[in-house]
């Protein structure tokens, strides 16, 4: 299965909102091993692609492949929708949506994501300075040598080396994301980009939906569908090798791959907490069974504007670099895609 890649199917229907069952039925009719799920109110699917970009299909107890264009066109016609298939280096669309039709209305997702930070580096230097650093009101509790942080409102991620590694677990209505901010990842950036790089995760694992298989989980078909349920991995482009990040977390490659294969269910926060050796209460916080304000020693500090001013001063280019930039008409390091607070 190592040679197969995962592709996502996004669907924009004309009139009615498609259900998970309707999407599963369309894929099952064409014997396509796939998983389907609800990503915060939108039905999405995953299918497998061969190295040459063909869609994997089941046939006589094994798997073969077929051209993706014909599959997308057939699904688009059945669902009266635009069907987009996207994977690394591949972007295809089957079109059957009536542009004159307004998009179907969906129920707004009102639940705000719950985001829990765990600082595993040196002891946090002060509650007030942390609120300034993140430009947000925060509640902090120290548990088993780690600082657990929950922000109240939008956060400007900024994690200096002394606080790293930092693990952020974010739970939405249907998904869970793990982000790692490591000292090794920050050190891989050019020195003049590290201030801006403090807000960029080095390694991200994401489970966007609770996946439902399309075909029976038997034989090769089952193998493909289990592969499709693995967590998506995103690495910072400057990080050529994620082994230093895993070493910093004291996580082996085998344990990391086992985490990727975990299903997005009620047990997932516990699997993450134990694999990363986080305080056990983190599982309860992520699952909503505990409130950080109730933890022993938890303290809240309100947001101030000092963090923004400090960030702007620290990240402002020096007089010499500004002179070089002006003479060379250069945008300067980090100006593209690494915007700081605005």
């Amino acid at each position: 299965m190592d040679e197969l890649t995962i592709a996502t199917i996004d669907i924009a229907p004309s009139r009615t909102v498609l259900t998970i069952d309707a999407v599963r039925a369309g894929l099952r009719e064409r014997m396509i091993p796939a998983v389907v799920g609800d990503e915060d109110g939108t039905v999405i699917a995953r299918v497998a692609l061969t190295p040459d970009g063909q869609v994997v299909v089941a046939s006589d107890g094994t798997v073969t492949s077929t051209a993706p264009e014909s599959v997308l066109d057939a699904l688009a016609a059945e669902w009266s929708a635009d069907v987009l298939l996207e994977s690394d280096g591949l972007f295809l669309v089957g079109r059957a949506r009536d542009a004159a039709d307004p998009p179907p209305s969906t129920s707004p997702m009102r639940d705000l994501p719950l985001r829990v930070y765990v600082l595993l580096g040196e002891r946090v230097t002060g509650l007030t300075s942390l609120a300034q650093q993140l430009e947000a009101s925060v509640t902090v509790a120290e548990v088993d040598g780690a600082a657990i942080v929950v922000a109240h409102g939008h956060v400007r991620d900024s994690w200096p080396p002394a606080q790293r590694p930092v693990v952020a677990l974010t739970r939405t209505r249907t998904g869970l994301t793990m982000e790692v901010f490591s000292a090794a990842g920050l050190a891989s950036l050019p020195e003049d980009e590290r201030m801006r790089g403090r807000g960029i995760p080095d390694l991200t694992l994401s489970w966007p939906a609770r996946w439902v298989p399309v075909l029976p989980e038997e034989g090769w078909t089952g193998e493909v569908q289990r592969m499709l349920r693995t967590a998506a991995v995103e690495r910072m482009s400057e990080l050529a090798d994620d082994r230093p990040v895993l070493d910093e977390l004291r996580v082996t490659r085998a344990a990391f791959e086992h985490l990727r294969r975990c299903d997005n269910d009620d047990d997932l926060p516990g699997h993450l907490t134990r694999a990363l050796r986080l305080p056990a209460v983190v599982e309860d916080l992520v699952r909503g069974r505990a409130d950080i304000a109730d933890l022993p020693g938890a303290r809240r500090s309100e947001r101030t504007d000092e963090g923004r001013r400090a960030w702007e001063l620290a990240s402002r280019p020096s007089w010499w670099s500004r002179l070089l930039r002006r003479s060379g008409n250069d945008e300067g390091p980090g100006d593209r895609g690494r915007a700081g607070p605005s």
Side-chain angles (χ1 to χ4, degrees), residues 86-145:
E86 185 175 8
S87 184
D88 291 339
L90 183 65
F91 187 93
L92 297 172
V93 180
R95 298 192 181 277
R97 180 176 181 272
D98 187 346
D101 286 344
S105 60
T106 58
S107 301
M109 299 294 105
R110 301 187 183 278
D111 294 337
L112 293 176
L114 173 65
R115 191 169 173 85
V116 178
Y117 295 96
V118 186
L119 283 61
L120 300 171
E122 297 177 5
R123 188 182 181 90
V124 63
T125 56
L127 184 60
T128 302
S129 62
L130 189 59
Q132 294 173 355
Q133 172 185 323
L134 300 180
E135 299 184 31
S137 299
V138 297
T139 299
V140 182
E142 294 187 34
V143 181
D144 297 336

Side-chain angles (χ1 to χ4, degrees), residues 151-169:
H152 311 287
H154 181 69
V155 171
R156 295 284 187 180
D157 280 316
S158 178
W159 302 106
Q163 294 171 348
R164 295 178 177 225
V166 174
V167 175
L169 299 179

Side-chain angles (χ1 to χ4, degrees), residues 1-339:
M1 294 301 153
D2 291 342
E3 69 276 9
L4 299 181
T5 58
I6 296 174
T8 300
I9 292 181
D10 291 317
I11 307 161
S14 291
R15 292 173 291 277
T16 59
V17 177
L18 286 172
T19 64
I20 288 177
D21 287 342
V23 174
R24 290 179 70 204
L27 294 166
R28 187 187 306 117
E29 181 181 345
R30 292 158 182 84
M31 293 299 293
I32 298 175
V35 293
V36 182
D38 173 358
E39 183 180 11
D40 292 327
T42 300
V43 177
I44 60 174
R46 280 181 173 179
V47 298
L49 301 181
T50 62
D52 58 353
Q54 301 281 293
V55 173
V56 172
V57 296
S59 175
D60 297 327
T62 185
V63 290
T64 182
S65 60
T66 189
E69 293 85 356
S70 58
V71 171
L72 293 180
D73 289 342
L75 292 173
E78 177 176 334
W79 296 332
S80 298
D82 288 349
V83 181
L84 182 152
L85 183 141
E86 185 175 8
S87 184
D88 291 339
L90 183 65
F91 187 93
L92 297 172
V93 180
R95 298 192 181 277
R97 180 176 181 272
D98 187 346
D101 286 344
S105 60
T106 58
S107 301
M109 299 294 105
R110 301 187 183 278
D111 294 337
L112 293 176
L114 173 65
R115 191 169 173 85
V116 178
Y117 295 96
V118 186
L119 283 61
L120 300 171
E122 297 177 5
R123 188 182 181 90
V124 63
T125 56
L127 184 60
T128 302
S129 62
L130 189 59
Q132 294 173 355
Q133 172 185 323
L134 300 180
E135 299 184 31
S137 299
V138 297
T139 299
V140 182
E142 294 187 34
V143 181
D144 297 336
I148 302 175
V149 181
V150 173
H152 311 287
H154 181 69
V155 171
R156 295 284 187 180
D157 280 316
S158 178
W159 302 106
Q163 294 171 348
R164 295 178 177 225
V166 174
V167 175
L169 299 179
T170 304
R171 178 178 59 82
T172 66
R173 189 179 66 87
T174 63
L176 186 65
T177 300
M178 179 191 87
E179 295 170 302
V180 180
F181 302 81
S182 72
L186 195 61
S188 70
L189 293 171
E191 187 172 355
D192 54 6
E193 291 196 29
R194 290 176 189 169
M195 178 59 73
R196 301 179 191 275
R198 289 183 177 189
I200 301 172
D202 317 314
L203 188 62
T204 301
L205 288 184
S206 58
W207 294 260
R210 296 198 173 196
W211 301 112
V212 181
V214 167
L215 300 177
E217 301 259 71
E218 302 169 352
W220 282 106
T221 299
E223 289 291 323
V224 172
Q225 292 182 154
R226 283 188 286 274
M227 181 272 291
L228 293 172
R229 292 202 294 269
T230 58
V233 180
E234 184 177 352
R235 297 173 178 86
M236 185 175 65
S237 58
E238 292 86 351
L239 192 66
D241 185 354
D242 58 19
R243 281 177 296 182
V245 177
L246 298 181
D247 290 344
E248 203 169 309
L249 293 171
R250 297 182 299 159
V251 174
T252 65
R253 170 64 62 182
F256 177 74
E257 292 301 327
H258 176 74
L259 274 182
R260 288 193 62 200
R261 294 191 296 271
C262 288
D263 281 334
N264 179 15
D265 55 22
D266 289 341
D267 295 328
L268 180 57
H271 292 319
L272 289 168
T273 298
R274 289 186 290 274
L276 300 174
R277 298 180 177 86
L278 306 179
V281 72
V282 171
E283 176 184 359
D284 293 329
L285 292 172
V286 173
R287 293 183 63 177
R289 300 188 307 198
D291 190 317
I292 191 170
D294 297 330
L295 299 185
R299 294 180 297 156
R300 174 166 174 153
S301 181
E302 300 303 324
R303 169 186 174 172
T304 72
D305 291 328
E306 295 299 323
R308 181 181 297 276
R309 290 197 289 269
W311 194 98
E312 289 172 346
L313 288 172
S315 60
R316 180 182 300 169
S318 67
W319 175 88
W320 180 248
S321 65
R322 292 200 305 273
L323 179 62
L324 290 177
R325 179 184 303 178
R326 189 179 300 115
S327 63
N329 193 26
D330 184 13
E331 289 184 8
D335 286 359
R336 295 182 293 270
R338 296 196 187 283

